[in-house]
Amino acid sequence: GESVGLHLPTLSVQEGDNSIINCAYSNSASDYFIWYKQESGKGPQFIIDIRSNMDKRQGQRVTVLLNKTVKHLSLQIAATQPGDSAVYFCAGNQAGTALIFGKGTTLSVSS
Amino acid sequence: GAVVSQHPSWVICKSGTSVKIECRSLDFQATTMFWYRQFPKQSLMLMATSNEGSKATYEQGVEKDKFLINHASLTLSTLTVTSAHPEDSSFYICSARDIGYEQYFGPGTRLTVT
């Protein structure tokens, strides 16, 4: 079945630095991926998504890269701010099925 | 954007009692709703998928008789935790999807069983 995971459980950066959070997936049939941000005690908050027919998508201060060859995606956050501190999850699915979540990376931003 | 609400946001119940959690899509019709469970410092684990008017599909290892799901309308799904035990204490999160790909998540319900 689908399996989505992240490479590192924690990431610590300085305010203003760029952050890169990585994720690997196992199901080559997955065609839709999302990055979520979750703050303590709250539900997941949508950040950015990407479909499998794309390899890059940019939002405000965030970029998602998808490498289907190695089944890897990453989330890049530019000029990281203290408010970006949270747990970040990648999730993927196939053809509208339920999203399957990876383990999560805790991003800590120090000022 | 689409909004999904959950009620209650937190609940404390005694062991052996049942608790019902509601999930509502406020500004769209949700053909499918999903229920996830999240233990502290862990990821969201899919429990079940429910489609309006039909029986829910449970993931492997999730007891359907313990976690009763009802999706009676296109805007409401309920999860009832029956005969709750302390190990059922968790953060329960629902999500709803319309005809597109994107799932919209609720704010979650914190259940504590004493």
Side-chain angles (χ1 to χ4, degrees):
Chain A
E2 173 71 81
S3 172
V4 183
L6 289 169
H7 294 301
L8 292 175
T10 60
L11 176 64
S12 296
V13 301
Q14 292 284 324
E15 181 178 3
D17 287 351
N18 295 332
S19 302
I20 299 176
I21 301 173
N22 295 304
C23 180
Y25 62 96
S26 61
N27 188 351
S28 56
S30 295
D31 57 8
Y32 181 61
F33 303 90
I34 302 180
W35 281 99
Y36 287 97
K37 173 186 180 182
Q38 187 179 31
E39 297 173 324
S40 181
K42 297 183 179 180
Q45 176 187 353
F46 173 90
I47 300 174
I48 191 168
D49 62 357
I50 189 168
R51 300 195 190 284
S52 60
N53 60 353
M54 304 170 69
D55 53 21
K56 180 179 180 179
R57 191 162 187 226
Q58 288 184 290
Q60 189 176 15
R61 281 203 306 122
V62 295
T63 301
V64 55
L65 299 177
L66 175 63
N67 186 329
K68 294 181 289 294
T69 302
V70 295
K71 291 185 283 188
H72 178 273
L73 68 158
S74 66
L75 175 69
Q76 300 178 4
I77 305 174
T80 314
Q81 302 168 0
D84 295 327
S85 296
V87 180
Y88 289 81
F89 294 96
C90 66
N93 70 355
Q94 175 190 357
T97 58
L99 283 165
I100 302 301
F101 282 75
K103 289 185 172 59
T105 289
T106 299
L107 176 63
S108 298
V109 183
S110 53
S111 53
Chain B
V3 179
V4 176
S5 69
Q6 283 185 239
H7 178 79
S9 56
W10 60 271
V11 58
I12 302 173
C13 71
K14 292 186 177 181
S15 186
T17 61
S18 296
V19 175
K20 180 185 285 188
I21 302 170
E22 293 184 349
C23 176
R24 293 182 185 272
S25 57
L26 299 186
D27 50 3
F28 67 101
Q29 293 187 327
T31 55
T32 305
M33 288 186 171
F34 305 94
W35 287 95
Y36 293 82
R37 179 169 53 182
Q38 186 178 32
F39 292 108
K41 299 190 183 302
Q42 294 188 24
S43 185
L44 284 74
M45 297 300 296
L46 179 66
M47 298 177 66
T49 300
S50 74
N51 293 296
E52 185 263 340
S54 61
K55 290 184 178 180
T57 302
Y58 290 81
E59 294 300 300
Q60 191 173 10
V62 178
E63 301 174 57
K64 63 179 182 180
D65 294 330
K66 181 171 183 59
F67 299 99
L68 302 179
I69 292 172
N70 184 284
H71 192 163
S73 77
L74 286 172
T75 60
L76 173 65
S77 176
T78 60
L79 168 68
T80 301
V81 183
T82 62
S83 187
H85 291 283
E87 56 265 32
D88 298 324
S89 298
S90 188
F91 194 47
Y92 291 86
I93 304 170
C94 74
S95 70
R97 189 184 73 209
D98 56 14
I99 60 174
Y101 265 92
E102 190 169 345
Q103 287 181 220
Y104 303 96
F105 283 84
T109 296
R110 174 76 58 193
L111 170 64
T112 302
V113 184
T114 60

